[in-house]
Amino acid sequence: MENSTSTMVADAIATGDETEMEYISDVVLGVAFLIIAIVAAQRMAWSNKQDGTDTSVVTAFYSLILCTSTIRSIWFLIPNSVFKPTYVPDARLAFSGTSWIGVFLSEIILSLGSLGLFSIFILILVYWADILKKYFQPGETRSKPMKTFKKIVFFLFSVQILNAVLFLNDVYSSEAMRLVDAILLASVSIICVIEITIFSHKFRTVLQTLGAINQVSTESQNKRIVWITVTGNLFFFTRAFLEIIFTSVLIIYWHRNGNVAETFSHKWWDVYVLIKHWSEVAILALMLYILQSRFTTNNSIATGNRDGYNQVPEAEEDDVPKNVSIGSVNV
């Protein structure tokens, strides 16, 4: 069994410079993402059978987790040699030989996975912003959260499409494609860190107010907000740091040498891949845990109406679901 496994690994990396450890690492990551995809699919099927105004939103979260983890598992489980001859990134121009096709497809799959992952948090932040607007700006007209989400995601996809078009038109190489991706993801990560920090502070203020009005404990909700804030910010800070380092190395190397032919060694690229993608596995698993362990606090917070207290005004049922609880208060 051991010999057959070794033979399979050797055959998979024979056509490229991928090391045995890199191959095994990719397979383990691919299996981890595949497990998350299977769990997300099961949860999505279960969510579709449930009643409630929040079902469509929870299903949307599960579908995004499913899409992201599926794309990532495909990217890791397909041997690197299928796409390109080198494991570490190298510069390729469109229509130069045949290897550029695999490099291009690899970058597209990688970018789609990143967009799927970031879309999960964009959806969370869009609903958080809408919920907070209801309490802090009650008189203003609120746009539909899903419309806002679609506009943001459409913009991000447009940037990626433009990036691919510029590569295909020989404006720049595959390394420039990666550079654009890194700048885009670093920028979105920094924005997410700022927004999560601001929104979590406002949510705790809302919880304190609603808890006092309805005379209920909001400790569990506060803990969840702190948990999602700390872990979310840790993930996005790590991602922003990695992408900024990646961008800086590319720019400095290009400035010194006029190209990026030998920018990364196997050692440093392996560290980059491991930190980047295992942090993704961790945050996706955390999202599944949070979605599974949602607190049902409709009666005690948002819809609570005790004697001697006025009921907090409700949002329109078709506008904001009553149980959006990704680290937030149920409204």
Side-chain angles (χ1 to χ4, degrees):
M1 180 68 179
E2 183 178 348
N3 290 335
S4 62
T5 303
S6 300
T7 302
M8 182 179 66
V9 172
D11 292 341
I13 64 179
T15 57
D17 69 342
E18 184 178 12
T19 66
E20 182 176 346
M21 184 59 66
E22 287 167 345
Y23 177 82
I24 294 173
S25 175
D26 282 0
V27 170
V28 173
L29 273 167
V31 171
F33 280 113
L34 184 60
I35 292 172
I36 291 174
I38 293 172
V39 174
Q42 293 174 338
R43 299 274 182 84
M44 188 170 66
W46 173 85
S47 178
N48 281 326
K49 298 177 182 178
Q50 306 304 307
D51 296 325
T53 56
D54 67 321
T55 300
S56 60
V57 176
V58 173
T59 302
F61 280 117
Y62 281 134
S63 64
L64 287 173
I65 294 173
L66 173 61
C67 290
T68 300
S69 51
T70 300
I71 293 171
R72 279 288 189 258
S73 64
I74 291 172
W75 193 76
F76 277 109
L77 291 177
I78 296 177
N80 180 78
S81 58
V82 172
F83 290 115
K84 48 190 179 178
T86 60
Y87 186 78
V88 295
D90 62 338
R92 300 279 173 169
L93 290 172
F95 307 104
S96 59
T98 57
S99 60
W100 74 269
I101 299 176
V103 172
F104 178 68
L105 290 176
S106 176
E107 289 305 311
I108 293 297
I109 296 173
L110 186 63
S111 297
L112 287 176
S114 297
L115 288 180
L117 177 65
F118 278 69
S119 294
I120 298 169
F121 295 94
I122 291 171
L123 183 58
I124 293 173
L125 291 173
V126 165
Y127 271 102
W128 278 20
D130 186 76
I131 293 168
L132 289 170
K133 190 173 183 179
K134 180 183 73 171
Y135 290 109
F136 286 92
Q137 300 171 321
E140 292 192 15
T141 303
R142 289 152 45 212
S143 60
K144 299 288 185 179
M146 285 304 295
K147 288 184 178 179
T148 304
F149 168 74
K150 290 176 182 178
K151 289 179 181 178
I152 296 173
V153 173
F154 177 77
F155 169 76
L156 295 178
F157 268 98
S158 298
V159 174
Q160 293 294 351
I161 292 172
L162 178 61
N163 192 24
V165 169
L166 292 175
F167 169 76
L168 292 174
N169 281 275
D170 254 356
V171 176
Y172 47 60
S173 69
S174 57
E175 285 297 78
M177 280 187 70
R178 296 186 185 96
L179 181 61
V180 172
D181 283 342
I183 294 173
L184 178 65
L185 295 179
S187 301
V188 175
S189 296
I190 293 171
I191 292 172
C192 286
V193 168
I194 295 172
E195 293 296 311
I196 288 175
T197 303
I198 294 173
F199 288 169
S200 67
H201 174 73
K202 290 185 176 180
F203 257 121
R204 289 196 293 272
T205 301
V206 170
L207 280 171
Q208 291 173 359
T209 302
L210 294 180
I213 291 175
N214 294 286
Q215 291 188 329
V216 294
S217 173
T218 58
E219 182 180 356
S220 61
Q221 288 78 20
N222 266 311
K223 286 181 178 179
R224 296 187 74 207
I225 291 175
V226 171
W227 178 245
I228 197 66
T229 301
V230 171
T231 54
N233 279 349
L234 180 62
F235 169 77
F236 283 115
F237 178 82
T238 301
R239 190 57 174 266
F241 177 78
L242 286 174
E243 301 299 354
I244 290 172
I245 293 296
F246 179 85
T247 301
S248 301
V249 170
L250 280 181
I251 293 175
I252 292 172
Y253 196 96
W254 179 83
H255 181 72
R256 289 178 178 175
N257 301 280
N259 61 70
V260 288
E262 298 177 356
T263 312
F264 297 98
S265 65
H266 278 264
K267 176 183 176 181
W268 291 112
W269 185 248
D270 291 347
V271 171
Y272 172 83
V273 169
L274 288 174
I275 295 175
K276 175 181 177 179
H277 294 293
W278 276 113
S279 66
E280 293 179 348
V281 170
I283 202 69
L284 287 172
L286 176 64
M287 291 297 102
L288 287 176
Y289 170 76
I290 292 175
L291 283 166
Q292 178 66 16
S293 61
R294 290 176 299 142
F295 290 92
T296 305
T297 57
N298 290 342
N299 294 329
S300 62
I301 301 251
T303 61
N305 189 13
R306 310 279 182 125
D307 293 337
Y309 294 89
N310 294 324
Q311 185 176 359
V312 178
E314 287 291 342
E316 294 82 355
E317 191 171 274
D318 62 345
D319 194 8
V320 180
K322 293 183 179 180
N323 198 22
V324 178
S325 56
I326 311 300
S328 69
V329 22
N330 296 329
V331 294

